[in-house]
Amino acid sequence: MRENMLTLWRRTRAWVRVLGVVLLVGVAGAGGYLLALREQPAQAAVPESTTTAVAASLSTIEQSVSASGTLTPAVQEDVAFAVSGTVQSVDVEAGDTVAAGQQLATVDTLQLDAALLSAKAELASAAASLADAEDDADGSDASDAQVAALTAQVEVAQAAVDAAQEDLAGATLTAPVAGLVTTVDLEVGDVVSGTSGSSGSGGAASSGSAGTGATGGSSQGSTGTSSGTSTAPFVIVGTDAWQVSVSVGESDVALVEAGDQVELTVDDVADTVYGTVGEVGLVPSSSSGVAAYPVTIDVTGSPEGLHDGASADVSIIYERRTDVLTVPAAAVTTVDGRSVVTQEGADGEQVTTEVTVGETSGTVVEITDGLAEGDEVLVTAFSPRAGSDSDDEQQGGAGAGGGMPDFSGEMPDFSGGFPGGQMPGGSNG
């Protein structure tokens, strides 16, 4: 029988034999592919479950509001001369750290000295006139009125002297606060006009106030943010106090109040940074129709590694309760509207226990009734089952028993090429 089939095979035309082989291979490949598709669902990963017993324990429950913002120094001072003159010295550079009261720059005092001398002369003249009037006073209304007027002139002259002395002191510009000098926009020989320093953005003045005296110039502090548009020749930021300004949505802002504790994750700082809510704004801003309220967070202490402009993710903790009985949230299910947990009975069977749940925090849930500390509940976890032993079986290849026919020794010899004109579609010659 085998010899008859071989003889019949050899007597067929070459192109018929080739076509037969091609069709046979195609049918075998399609069969293997369909077999693989049929077996694939059976080989798909099936979840495996693991049940463990976990004891109810006392935990700390926290409720928080999350937001993000940018770290800024709590103190920023824009410092400028409050008097006019030509700059004689500039004593600091950008990047220097200065102490409060440290000299920053000076201007010439020629005009200031002259103004002070003139004011003193006016004061002396007014005082002399007052003394003469008091000596000549006769108790009449006219005499009393003249004494009162000259007394007022003396007071005005004294105020002018005081102002001139303050201006003279203002010829030396000093740092109103300790901190880092971030801007120095002044050179020897520059002429200053005595305008007040430009104000920073967003806050009330810290130490140092407009005018002269202790600061030797004018300054207006700002808290929290830097506008980047200051025109003051000197800008000093404090490095001992930091703030983060964040926006809190309308639905959460009612939960937040001044004094709430805050945990911060700051870029380039490995440890958690702590703070408190300093202020909750009353005027919202709106973005895409959603109202958000500004909240200012004061960083506690002076942690190392903080720098202006660093991003910070904050968690504002508005509620914290200790010694709260909790179990894993995965242990609690709902059956017919009731919260229940599964426990192991005395004989090893599983029993259902009704519980009353409170708040959820992370992966645990509060149990207010139905369990006691130490009671064990069953928690079932699911994980994917490992796949088939061999990926080759998924492929349906010849090496995996995919059903490909074995043509060893049976394929016709075409080493000499196809006979001329006998390719499919060609002439039969």
Side-chain angles (χ1 to χ4, degrees):
M1 182 68 178
R2 179 182 178 92
E3 291 179 356
N4 291 336
M5 292 181 64
L6 289 175
T7 300
L8 182 60
W9 173 267
R10 293 191 181 97
R11 288 179 179 178
T12 59
R13 292 179 181 272
W15 68 270
V16 175
R17 293 196 298 268
V18 172
L19 181 60
V21 171
V22 171
L23 291 175
L24 184 59
V25 171
V27 170
Y33 177 73
L34 292 175
L35 180 62
L37 288 179
R38 186 182 64 183
E39 293 179 352
Q40 185 173 356
Q43 295 172 352
V46 178
E48 291 183 338
S49 62
T50 303
T51 300
T52 57
V54 179
S57 60
L58 298 180
S59 306
T60 298
I61 287 285
E62 292 183 350
Q63 300 294 326
S64 62
V65 173
S66 298
S68 60
T70 302
L71 195 70
T72 57
V75 175
Q76 174 176 308
E77 293 284 350
D78 298 343
V79 189
F81 281 102
V83 297
S84 300
T86 301
V87 177
Q88 288 189 324
S89 68
V90 178
D91 304 298
V92 295
E93 297 179 351
D96 288 351
T97 300
V98 295
Q102 182 174 332
Q103 181 171 305
L104 303 177
T106 60
V107 296
D108 69 282
T109 61
L110 182 62
Q111 294 181 351
L112 299 174
D113 288 334
L116 177 59
L117 291 175
S118 177
K120 287 182 176 180
E122 292 287 342
L123 175 60
S125 176
S129 298
L130 175 60
D132 292 340
E134 290 175 339
D135 291 340
D136 296 337
D138 56 7
S140 63
D141 291 342
S143 175
D144 292 342
Q146 184 180 17
V147 170
L150 291 173
T151 300
Q153 289 182 8
V154 169
E155 293 175 353
V156 170
Q158 182 62 57
V161 170
D162 294 340
Q165 289 175 333
E166 290 179 356
D167 287 345
L168 184 60
T172 300
L173 189 64
T174 58
V177 294
L180 179 69
V181 179
T182 60
T183 298
V184 175
D185 188 16
L186 203 63
E187 296 180 352
V188 173
D190 288 350
V191 177
V192 295
S193 62
T195 57
S196 61
S198 63
S199 63
S201 64
S206 54
S207 60
S209 58
T212 56
T215 64
S218 69
S219 67
Q220 176 140 3
S222 64
T223 47
T225 59
S226 174
S227 65
T229 58
S230 172
T231 57
F234 296 93
V235 177
I236 302 174
V237 299
T239 56
D240 294 332
W242 299 90
Q243 290 181 336
V244 178
S245 295
V246 300
S247 295
V248 175
E250 187 175 14
S251 60
D252 292 329
V253 72
L255 304 172
V256 178
E257 61 183 17
D260 284 348
Q261 293 186 353
V262 182
E263 296 180 356
L264 303 94
T265 302
V266 182
D267 284 354
D268 303 326
V269 179
D271 298 331
T272 299
V273 178
Y274 298 93
T276 57
V277 174
E279 183 180 4
V280 180
L282 301 178
V283 180
S285 60
S286 179
S287 176
S288 301
V290 179
Y293 290 78
V295 175
T296 302
I297 297 167
D298 299 323
V299 175
T300 302
S302 301
E304 295 183 357
L306 302 185
H307 59 86
D308 191 9
S311 297
D313 294 326
V314 306
S315 178
I316 304 172
I317 302 170
Y318 62 85
E319 180 182 2
R320 175 184 281 131
R321 292 184 293 128
T322 60
D323 296 333
V324 177
L325 185 66
T326 62
V327 297
V332 181
T333 57
T334 302
V335 177
D336 296 331
R338 301 176 300 120
S339 297
V340 298
V341 296
T342 302
Q343 296 181 283
E344 185 174 347
D347 298 330
E349 77 283 6
Q350 293 187 357
V351 296
T352 298
T353 303
E354 183 176 356
V355 294
T356 303
V357 300
E359 296 177 346
T360 299
S361 177
T363 60
V364 299
V365 63
E366 177 185 9
I367 302 297
T368 60
D369 190 33
L371 293 176
E373 182 182 4
D375 289 348
E376 291 188 343
V377 296
L378 299 180
V379 181
T380 301
F382 294 90
S383 60
R385 178 179 295 173
S388 59
D389 294 336
S390 172
D391 290 339
D392 289 339
E393 295 182 4
Q394 299 270 358
Q395 304 298 326
M404 288 293 291
D406 183 9
F407 290 109
S408 59
E410 298 292 332
M411 289 293 293
D413 184 10
F414 294 113
S415 60
F418 289 101
Q422 295 187 2
M423 286 294 292
S427 63
N428 293 330

